[in-house]
Amino acid sequence: MTLHPTFCRICYHLCGTVIEVDDEGRTVAMTGDKDNPFSAATTA
Amino acid sequence: MKGRAAPAIHTSPDRLLHTMKRQPDGTFAPIDFEQAMDEIAEKLSRIIARDGPRAVASSHGTGIVAHSLAMASTHSFMEAIDSPMNFGNESIDQPGKSVAKGLHGVWQAPGNGWVEPQVILVIGMNPLVSHNGFPNTWINGRLAKGMKLIFIDPRRTESARKATQFIQPLPGHDAALLAALCRVVIDEKLYDSAFVAENVQGLAELRRALERFTPEAVAAAAGIDAGELVTAARTYASARRGYAICGTGPSMSGSSTLVEYMRMCLETLCGHYLRQGEALPFAGVTMAPPPARAQATPPFPAWGAVFGGHETRVRGLRAYYAGSAPMPTSALPDEILMPGEGRARALLVCAGNPVLAWPDQNRTVAALKDLELSVAIDVKMTPSAQLADYVIACKQHLETPGISYLAEGLAFYATGVGSDQSYGQYTPAIVAPPAGLQVVEEWEVFYGLCRRLGLPFTLRGLNGTAATIDTDRKPTTDDLLEVFMAGSRIPLDELKRHPAGRCSLMKPRARCRARKAGPAASNLPTPTSSRISTPIRSPETASARASNSA
């Protein structure tokens, strides 16, 4: 299991997110990125 | 569901696994991507040779935000084949936001409310849910410091619960409500008289046009109390810093241009713009530093000849001032269906779903079925893709690299959307597409078509550069992002070196510059003076008014 900071591209606000990827390379969870200065853990 | 559903979207059983081709019996069968591209290019070539490039139309939907290069590469292709038939979602979901800028004129610096606003007026928008309207990161802090938050919405939304004043009118009265606010602001002399004297023409004409929009009359029609409007006008206009913003409801209503125009009048009356010497809230990361200047650009043509003079054959609608695609989508079904020279015969739909999104669903379905060649570029078999001849399966966003330019660019589009600070981010692809899938990025489609048609693929960057990409040696997405970002304040390489690609410039050095001597400096067409106009001043409107009164 690995965590990858990125940003969401479902809409144009581009909230900072962290994607959890399992050992088989699949995305399993998404949370707000608390270290993102723009969206600070929140997501639209 | 939006971003939190990202994992489910990536692993959805509905996902397109490979490119599909419609069979003679109407069913779909997988086809190799390169084979499909050969066939599409051959058909496009035949249609262009027979009917000219105008017979090929493109249309993008809101899905283009997922991929940084999707919209730019659509435009590259249309430019290469020299077809003006470039349509997008903006002309049906918020055309008023662009058109009103032309009718009113614009201030060449952002609104002043991005930093420490004292008031925010939110009309038909739900920021806590959508992140449109204000950053959720600072709203509670601002309210604790006494900021006023006025919501006007027929629905008591989640966000409206935070309002210091909530006005709940009947739907459809937004333009009149804003007109009444402007009227109170003028009559009670609450406006920024120094700013108006220096930068605005037509105040008396505006006041005359507002004569019948008394708070009493507007409130009675909208089912609210007149006192609510007077209170809101006084609160809004007495704040030195603030902004008003209209959301999806007003933008998609029948009078969206007028609503946006009245919002701009209110903003201009109150002088809610950054002035000379004030620090900009954002200074460019993936983009060049904004050319902010404390100066008005007067009204400019919002549609017509300056946008290439391209017209639709139906209803004489013309290309207009839009951030994305200049042709009006509401005309496209008839452009396809109406016989005669210049008829659209091929359509490439990129990340859009016309069947669900365009006006008049029956006519849209009839038009999509009538095409000689219909290509859908998408991640799943949408109702529109089900009517296409080819459906090109695309990567999901976490499977592609990207940059956060959209949030930056929007900060100039309207105060209250986009980034409120000098922040940008690059992300690599986070996951690979699942094994066995044959999926591509949108730009690969348009690049590949140019290559097959023997045409140059010229990518227009965010900062005004244009570069022709070698069609003999296929670039990577990162290669193209570098070209796309050319001239940015922070080069792509440097952005990548920041932790997780996040770059935040804590101290924006850029400040709002002084007015430039001489005619208004602008890349917009034909300035005629150096003042924002409150009454609508376009030849079209003037003549329409004259004929109405005749």
Side-chain angles (χ1 to χ4, degrees):
Chain A
M1 199 77 83
T2 51
L3 294 174
H4 304 266
T6 179
F7 55 90
C8 175
R9 287 170 272 169
I10 301 280
C11 85
Y12 59 64
H13 294 291
L14 313 178
C15 303
T17 59
V18 177
I19 304 294
E20 193 175 315
V21 178
D22 71 11
D23 296 339
E24 285 160 38
R26 287 178 305 209
T27 57
V28 291
M30 187 282 253
T31 51
D33 178 7
K34 64 179 169 43
D35 295 325
N36 186 296
F38 169 47
S39 54
T42 65
T43 58
Chain B
M1 285 295 283
K2 289 172 75 174
R4 301 250 170 177
I9 291 166
H10 281 65
T11 55
S12 166
D14 290 343
R15 206 180 151 171
L16 265 174
L17 308 180
H18 29 66
T19 293
M20 307 290 271
K21 180 184 179 183
R22 174 187 296 282
Q23 304 301 302
D25 67 357
T27 61
F28 283 90
I31 179 174
D32 175 70
F33 169 69
E34 301 293 343
Q35 171 67 27
M37 289 283 287
D38 288 344
E39 294 181 17
I40 292 165
E42 196 271 326
K43 288 174 182 175
L44 283 173
S45 185
R46 200 150 21 95
I47 289 169
I48 292 170
R50 188 194 64 208
D51 294 343
R54 190 189 163 97
V56 179
S58 72
S59 172
H60 64 248
T62 52
I64 48 146
V65 303
H67 301 279
S68 301
L69 298 163
M71 187 161 67
S73 59
T74 309
H75 294 173
S76 299
F77 171 74
M78 295 304 282
E79 195 177 310
I81 64 168
D82 196 24
S83 169
M85 298 290 276
N86 201 343
F87 298 80
N89 56 290
E90 189 181 335
S91 61
I92 48 174
D93 65 22
Q94 45 189 312
K97 280 197 169 7
S98 296
V99 174
K101 286 185 174 80
L103 298 173
H104 180 81
V106 292
W107 191 244
Q108 296 175 29
N112 72 7
W114 244 162
V115 182
E116 304 191 341
Q118 295 152 357
V119 65
I120 306 177
L121 170 60
V122 182
I123 302 159
M125 187 177 257
N126 192 357
L128 289 188
V129 171
S130 68
H131 281 210
N132 239 340
F134 50 71
N136 294 340
T137 47
W138 58 240
I139 193 68
N140 288 336
R142 291 305 308 158
L143 287 168
K145 286 184 178 161
M147 185 191 78
K148 303 290 189 244
L149 182 56
I150 307 166
F151 273 86
I152 299 180
D153 204 313
R155 191 168 81 84
R156 189 181 288 272
T157 62
E158 294 85 344
S159 307
R161 293 185 199 127
K162 289 205 177 280
T164 54
Q165 185 187 0
F166 175 53
I167 300 176
Q168 192 169 23
L170 296 168
H173 292 269
D174 298 319
L177 292 164
L178 282 158
L181 294 178
C182 288
R183 194 182 190 277
V184 173
V185 167
I186 296 171
D187 286 1
E188 298 195 1
K189 298 198 166 26
L190 301 170
Y191 58 93
D192 185 332
S193 53
F195 180 82
V196 168
E198 191 181 0
N199 298 293
V200 177
Q201 61 184 11
L203 181 64
E205 203 179 334
L206 173 68
R207 178 58 187 81
R208 277 197 297 279
L210 297 177
E211 184 55 31
R212 68 187 177 88
F213 295 94
T214 62
E216 293 73 21
V218 170
I224 57 172
D225 292 330
E228 297 180 73
L229 289 174
V230 174
T231 302
R234 288 175 183 164
T235 304
Y236 189 73
S238 61
R240 162 72 183 89
R241 307 183 74 85
Y243 61 91
I245 185 163
C246 300
T248 302
S251 289
M252 291 194 178
S253 72
S255 54
S256 73
T257 301
L258 187 58
V259 170
E260 196 61 35
Y261 182 84
M262 292 313 303
R263 184 200 65 78
M264 293 188 79
C265 285
L266 180 65
E267 211 76 308
T268 296
L269 286 169
C270 297
H272 281 167
Y273 301 114
L274 282 184
R275 310 298 173 84
Q276 181 183 341
E278 288 193 280
L280 301 179
F282 49 87
V285 174
T286 65
M287 299 178 79
R293 201 176 279 285
Q295 184 165 3
T297 295
F300 54 90
W303 59 83
V306 290
F307 304 100
H310 302 298
E311 285 192 27
T312 62
R313 297 179 309 142
V314 292
R315 306 201 297 281
L317 299 176
R318 281 164 286 176
Y320 84 112
Y321 174 61
S324 54
M327 293 295 261
T329 293
S330 64
L332 187 46
D334 288 331
E335 282 292 316
I336 295 166
L337 289 167
M338 193 173 88
E341 198 179 330
R343 182 182 188 181
R345 296 285 74 211
L347 175 66
L348 305 166
V349 175
C350 183
N353 194 350
V355 171
L356 298 191
W358 292 1
D360 196 340
Q361 190 173 62
N362 287 336
R363 204 147 179 80
T364 298
V365 169
L368 294 178
K369 286 181 172 170
D370 190 66
L371 288 161
E372 273 181 53
L373 173 65
S374 170
V375 179
I377 303 163
D378 217 310
V379 291
K380 64 177 186 177
M381 208 66 181
T382 65
S384 304
Q386 283 165 25
L387 299 176
D389 300 304
Y390 296 88
V391 186
I392 295 176
C394 287
K395 291 181 180 175
Q396 294 281 8
H397 67 267
L398 292 174
E399 296 161 356
T400 67
I403 54 170
S404 64
Y405 81 92
L406 264 177
E408 246 178 276
L410 284 168
F412 247 82
Y413 185 63
T415 309
V417 295
S419 179
D420 62 328
Q421 53 190 287
S422 299
Y423 167 72
Q425 190 168 3
Y426 163 83
T427 180
I430 301 299
V431 289
L437 269 61
Q438 192 192 30
V439 287
V440 298
E441 287 186 55
E442 289 82 352
W443 70 260
E444 294 179 74
V445 177
F446 296 108
Y447 173 90
L449 290 175
C450 284
R451 184 175 68 73
R452 284 168 171 83
L453 295 171
L455 297 169
F457 181 81
T458 301
L459 187 66
R460 296 201 175 274
L462 294 168
N463 304 300
T465 58
T468 300
I469 309 298
D470 190 348
T471 41
D472 292 328
R473 194 184 63 82
K474 191 174 178 181
T476 64
T477 300
D478 274 16
D479 291 339
L480 292 181
L481 286 176
E482 190 155 353
V483 172
F484 193 49
M485 265 177 69
S488 61
R489 184 153 179 237
I490 306 296
L492 181 60
D493 279 348
E494 189 182 333
L495 190 57
K496 286 178 178 177
R497 284 196 292 272
H498 283 256
R502 304 184 205 98
C503 175
S504 184
L505 304 170
M506 296 309 286
K507 288 194 186 303
R509 284 162 295 186
R511 288 184 178 270
C512 188
R513 289 185 286 175
R515 173 190 291 271
K516 201 172 181 179
S522 169
N523 54 2
L524 299 167
T526 3
T528 52
S529 72
S530 57
R531 285 159 179 255
I532 293 171
S533 178
T534 41
I536 295 176
R537 282 174 192 273
S538 79
E540 288 81 358
T541 314
S543 58
R545 215 183 276 152
S547 60
N548 283 344
S549 57

